[in-house]
Amino acid sequence: AASVCAQDADTREALDWLKKIAVSSRTVSYSGTFVYQHGSRVETSRVVHYVNAAGGVFEKLETLDGPSREVIRANDHVTAYMPDARAVLIERRSTQQLPVMLPENLSDLTLQYDVKKADAVRISGFECVWIVVNPRDRMRFGRKFCAELESGLPLRAQVFNEKAQVIESFGFSQLTLGGKFSRDQVESRYKARAQAQRWRVDSSALNINEQAADTGWVATQLPAGFRKSMEVRRTIAGRPIALPHLVFTDGLAAISVFVEPRGRDANNIAARPLTVQGAVHIYKRVLGDYTVTALGEVPSSTVMQIANSMESRAVHQQAAPR
């Protein structure tokens, strides 16, 4: 009994750290340089991130490798400057910025994952503690987060597969916590040039609308622990109809499913239905007059099971035993 109580206390402490990590990116101001690796690609970026007392988020992110790119964020309004292409992209996104996405509600996480606190280490001059999230089956990846002891900001994060191989990682190489807000630090150095040289401005993403709705599609065989968290119809500029978009989650991993009219690439999909981008698996299948696409940071078997179980609600109800 004492051993079980100790394990429960350890798990609660680890979950408390995960909650602190989830909140930190929305409450902590910082600046620094981080390295993001996914698959064979390695990207180094510089970031300045301010959060004011009212909860407003202002950020500037600049890539230091490859083609120049600068992203300016004011709450959910995002402007990306791409000088090599002489283009500006304007869109709306969630205010979560780093590749460390954690929900605030972690209550059901231990049903599918073993969560534990590991060793404290020193990274970029800060003390941090490792929190390890091990999956209980092969339908999801594991994750590790090293949270700065005071703020909870993740200084390093990793996604690992069933062989304990790191397939995606993020980490600060230099970091300053806090700091007084300065608008100059979150202004684009390309803004004046883009206006003077009349760079191409693409704001079509602002025309993407989501409306909660019964899309008429259902997943008939979800992996254990996964549930539907969102179902919308997305209206996208240039598309004649709104597309069904469903999201399934186990509380940590999330899989998006899109259904669209079948295109001319059906033969290409049949020849290569599965692709991989770092920790993200993308699986497509042709289903009658439609193409179903499932993608997420999960093993290939998970996106395949969900995509292969997608049916129109009408067909599913007709096939259901009476």
Side-chain angles (χ1 to χ4, degrees):
S3 176
V4 171
C5 289
Q7 289 176 356
D8 289 344
D10 290 343
T11 299
R12 286 196 298 269
E13 183 183 9
L15 287 173
D16 287 341
W17 273 105
L18 286 182
K19 292 175 184 176
K20 193 171 183 178
I21 292 171
V23 172
S24 66
S25 63
R26 294 184 288 273
T27 59
V28 179
S29 296
Y30 57 86
S31 61
T33 303
F34 66 87
V35 178
Y36 179 47
Q37 181 173 358
H38 49 115
S40 59
R41 296 182 59 185
V42 178
E43 300 174 357
T44 305
S45 301
R46 182 184 297 117
V47 63
V48 177
H49 178 88
Y50 288 110
V51 182
N52 64 25
V57 177
F58 302 90
E59 182 181 277
K60 175 180 176 180
L61 187 147
E62 181 182 8
T63 59
L64 303 179
D65 300 327
S68 298
R69 187 174 75 255
E70 191 179 72
V71 180
I72 307 298
R73 182 191 303 272
N75 295 318
D76 66 343
H77 192 276
V78 178
T79 304
Y81 293 88
M82 294 163 282
D84 292 0
R86 295 168 63 91
V88 180
L89 175 64
I90 303 173
E91 60 182 335
R92 295 189 186 278
R93 285 191 228 155
S94 163
T95 55
Q96 289 182 304
Q97 72 302 318
L98 297 178
V100 178
M101 300 297 186
L102 284 175
E104 290 191 47
N105 182 9
L106 298 165
S107 58
D108 296 333
L109 199 64
T110 55
L111 297 176
Q112 311 302 330
Y113 297 89
D114 176 35
V115 185
K116 62 183 180 180
K117 177 183 172 184
D119 297 333
V121 297
R122 187 170 172 82
I123 294 177
S124 298
F126 294 90
E127 297 291 333
C128 70
V129 60
W130 278 107
I131 306 301
V132 184
V133 185
N134 281 308
R136 298 187 185 276
D137 60 26
R138 291 178 172 266
M139 302 305 287
R140 57 212 94 222
F141 289 139
R143 286 167 167 80
K144 293 175 64 177
F145 308 95
C146 204
E148 197 271 323
L149 292 183
E150 295 296 325
S151 67
L153 189 74
L155 305 185
R156 190 164 293 173
Q158 299 175 344
V159 179
F160 55 91
N161 62 18
E162 67 281 0
K163 298 179 181 179
Q165 298 169 326
V166 176
I167 53 179
E168 183 177 275
S169 67
F170 153 87
F172 280 103
S173 58
Q174 181 275 325
L175 176 67
T176 300
L177 288 174
K180 187 177 180 181
F181 175 73
S182 169
R183 186 164 293 276
D184 291 342
Q185 293 192 47
V186 292
E187 288 284 349
S188 172
R189 61 192 176 103
Y190 298 114
K191 184 177 181 179
R193 189 197 308 179
Q195 292 174 342
Q197 298 179 355
R198 296 188 178 184
W199 290 6
R200 179 176 58 86
V201 178
D202 182 356
S203 58
S204 60
L206 295 177
N207 297 323
I208 297 177
N209 296 316
E210 291 184 351
Q211 184 174 1
D214 179 352
T215 62
W217 291 87
V218 60
T220 60
Q221 295 182 5
L222 288 175
F226 281 91
R227 63 188 184 280
K228 183 177 68 177
S229 62
M230 186 180 78
E231 183 174 10
V232 300
R233 286 190 174 274
R234 292 172 61 93
T235 302
I236 303 175
R239 298 294 183 94
I241 61 173
L243 301 180
H245 176 201
L246 297 89
V247 177
F248 303 93
T249 180
D250 65 356
L252 184 60
I255 297 96
S256 280
V257 177
F258 298 90
V259 182
E260 58 187 316
R262 174 176 173 172
R264 298 179 180 178
D265 60 346
N267 290 335
N268 293 334
I269 291 174
R272 194 186 179 200
L274 182 68
T275 55
V276 183
Q277 297 179 6
V280 177
H281 283 87
I282 306 167
Y283 178 74
K284 295 187 175 186
R285 66 178 289 235
V286 175
L287 180 61
D289 295 331
Y290 299 92
T291 296
V292 177
T293 303
L295 69 156
E297 286 191 343
V298 291
S300 59
S301 56
T302 307
V303 291
M304 292 173 67
Q305 179 173 327
I306 292 177
N308 289 331
S309 76
M310 294 299 295
E311 292 181 0
S312 73
R313 194 180 304 277
V315 170
H316 178 63
Q317 290 174 344
Q318 290 175 3
R322 297 182 182 274

